[in-house]
Amino acid sequence: MTELVRRLGLNRRQFLGVSTGVLAATALPASGGGVLVPPAKRGIILYTVRDAIGRDPASTPLPSGFRRVFEELARIGYKQVEFAGYGQHRDAEGGASLETLDGARLLRRWLDDNGLQAEGNHGFIPGSWPLTQPDLDRFKFHLELANILGLGHMGTGGDPTGSPYKADWDVAAEKWNALGQIAADAGIKLYTHNHDAAYGFLLDSGPLDALGRPTRSSGVRKLEYFLSVSDPGLVWLEMDIFWAHVAKHRFHTYTAADGSPQTDVFDPLAVVQAQPKRFPLFHAKDGRANPASGNGYDMVPFGQGDIDYQAFFSGMGAKGYHNPMYEQDNAPGGAADPGRSLRFADVSYDHMASLRD
């Protein structure tokens, strides 16, 4: 086998990929079994390996800083990355902050050198509304960085608003529509990201409280309402599939306008199926079921949990359109296991690559 690998000019991973592919092809029926996440669509958000990017390169032989981490991710097989800011250790090549035009050019060169495509960034989204001039200028600067990096999308890791009230979601939609137009004028799709609370129920009916705010719900979920009032040509979403499943666990009852308790179990896949092209990016974050946890799941490497990604990616529609980014918030192992996040990235890539119809 070693001689065959040498003659074919393959490294160990490439050989395993070829041999696994051959075995899979012989095992699959002729009628189907297509790859669910094509090689060019296999991505990772760099937050997962933030410890590697941020560590002192003089302190360890492990990959450190953007350039070396890009090299390692490319070796693993990833073709896409999503930024979570532009900072690294001050002694890494390029310096502490690459949030400059020259820094973005440097990052772009390293991406190109490693065959990586940057698809998005959890970056700056103005908090003010109406926009202040400083916020507008900073937002446009981040769009300029995005264009240098070749991003198709720019977004945030937070929900549009943390409020439970319909009026606040209306304001959020107004702001995002305006920002989405500015981004579109720069050739970028603007996206927001969900945590579990965004798929809780909107307070939009029933008796008012002392401040004149509604106290009950019509059963509409907050982020679904945002989808209905924001412009589908200007505002996109990145579903964090883990947090959407946490919402399924946490938010399944509400109090209707008449005071009656109602049950409505959330279906993350159905939300995507209703308008699949509204979701150009996903966070492919896995969870092992744990009913004792408040979230209902514990985060684990992709493919080691109980979220049915085979069914999700098979059923969501618009095949080949979406960009799933592996994410694991707790991947860094700290001083006890400094190589863990990149090791988990390796394991998770293999599971993502193995998904079939």
Side-chain angles (χ1 to χ4, degrees), residues 128-146:
S128 62
W129 186 252
L131 291 175
T132 65
Q133 191 60 49
D135 273 356
L136 177 59
D137 291 343
R138 187 179 174 197
F139 182 66
K140 290 182 175 180
F141 171 71
H142 275 263
L143 290 169
E144 190 173 1
L145 296 179

Side-chain angles (χ1 to χ4, degrees), residues 15 18 25-26 52 68 73 103 136 146-147 171-172 195 224 271 284 292 329:
F15 175 78
V18 170
T26 58
R68 300 307 175 197
L73 294 177
L136 177 59
N147 273 314
V171 171
H195 290 92
E224 290 180 89
V271 172
D329 299 7

Side-chain angles (χ1 to χ4, degrees), residues 2-68:
T2 302
E3 176 61 17
L4 177 60
V5 172
R6 186 192 65 77
R7 286 191 290 109
L8 289 174
L10 303 176
N11 61 33
R12 177 180 173 275
R13 171 174 291 281
Q14 290 169 329
F15 175 78
L16 290 174
V18 170
S19 59
T20 301
V22 170
L23 290 172
T26 58
L28 291 169
S31 59
V35 173
L36 282 174
V37 185
K41 294 287 189 178
R42 296 169 192 163
I44 181 171
I45 179 167
L46 298 175
Y47 181 73
T48 301
V49 292
R50 61 195 181 276
D51 59 325
I53 292 169
R55 66 183 158 221
D56 183 353
S59 69
T60 175
L62 295 169
S64 306
F66 279 113
R67 184 175 186 177
R68 300 307 175 197

Side-chain angles (χ1 to χ4, degrees), residues 257-272:
D258 63 3
S260 62
Q262 301 291 325
T263 299
D264 179 52
V265 178
F266 182 50
D267 184 348
L269 177 57
V271 172
V272 178

Side-chain angles (χ1 to χ4, degrees), residues 11-336:
N11 61 33
R12 177 180 173 275
R13 171 174 291 281
Q14 290 169 329
F15 175 78
L16 290 174
V18 170
S19 59
T20 301
V22 170
L23 290 172
T26 58
L28 291 169
S31 59
V35 173
L36 282 174
V37 185
K41 294 287 189 178
R42 296 169 192 163
I44 181 171
I45 179 167
L46 298 175
Y47 181 73
T48 301
V49 292
R50 61 195 181 276
D51 59 325
I53 292 169
R55 66 183 158 221
D56 183 353
S59 69
T60 175
L62 295 169
S64 306
F66 279 113
R67 184 175 186 177
R68 300 307 175 197
V69 169
F70 287 167
E71 291 171 356
E72 179 64 10
L73 294 177
R75 184 199 67 77
I76 289 170
Y78 287 101
K79 293 297 183 183
Q80 293 190 349
V81 298
E82 181 181 21
F83 283 91
Y86 303 116
Q88 60 177 1
H89 192 277
R90 66 178 183 272
D91 292 332
E93 186 174 354
S97 176
L98 296 174
E99 193 175 293
T100 64
L101 298 183
D102 285 342
R105 294 184 187 103
L106 189 60
L107 285 168
R108 177 61 182 271
R109 186 168 78 242
W110 294 340
L111 290 166
D112 292 346
D113 287 347
N114 289 286
L116 295 171
Q117 170 66 44
E119 277 295 334
N121 177 40
H122 285 190
F124 173 71
I125 300 296
S128 62
W129 186 252
L131 291 175
T132 65
Q133 191 60 49
D135 273 356
L136 177 59
D137 291 343
R138 187 179 174 197
F139 182 66
K140 290 182 175 180
F141 171 71
H142 275 263
L143 290 169
E144 190 173 1
L145 296 179
N147 273 314
I148 292 172
L149 290 165
L151 306 184
H153 314 83
M154 191 177 85
T156 175
D159 299 319
T161 173
S163 171
Y165 302 111
K166 176 179 176 293
D168 293 328
W169 284 87
D170 286 331
V171 171
E174 181 183 0
K175 179 177 85 170
W176 277 78
N177 284 340
L179 294 174
Q181 183 62 67
I182 296 168
D185 291 344
I188 304 289
K189 290 181 176 179
L190 187 71
Y191 67 94
T192 184
H193 171 277
N194 69 274
H195 290 92
D196 56 308
Y199 282 116
F201 295 101
L202 191 71
L203 294 181
D204 60 355
S205 62
L208 303 181
D209 66 14
L211 298 177
R213 300 171 302 191
T215 58
R216 296 175 184 170
S217 180
S218 63
V220 175
R221 295 178 187 272
K222 292 179 279 189
L223 200 54
E224 290 180 89
Y225 177 73
F226 178 79
L227 276 174
S228 72
V229 294
S230 57
D231 190 325
L234 297 175
V235 181
W236 282 264
L237 280 90
E238 174 182 66
M239 177 181 278
D240 186 308
I241 299 170
F242 173 90
W243 289 117
H245 279 74
V246 171
K248 180 177 181 178
H249 171 77
R250 291 188 61 200
F251 303 112
H252 46 78
T253 59
Y254 66 93
T255 302
D258 63 3
S260 62
Q262 301 291 325
T263 299
D264 179 52
V265 178
F266 182 50
D267 184 348
L269 177 57
V271 172
V272 178
Q273 288 172 327
Q275 40 188 331
K277 290 201 171 181
R278 199 81 190 269
F279 294 85
L281 297 100
F282 290 99
H283 275 182
K285 181 188 299 179
D286 212 346
R288 185 176 296 128
N290 178 6
S293 163
N295 289 333
Y297 294 91
D298 296 326
M299 289 182 199
V300 295
F302 187 85
Q304 296 185 8
D306 299 311
I307 295 175
D308 192 344
Y309 274 96
Q310 190 274 339
F312 196 98
F313 287 153
S314 292
M316 64 187 178
K319 189 171 183 178
Y321 169 76
H322 305 98
N323 303 283
M325 304 288 170
Y326 158 60
E327 183 181 38
Q328 188 176 344
D329 299 7
N330 61 356

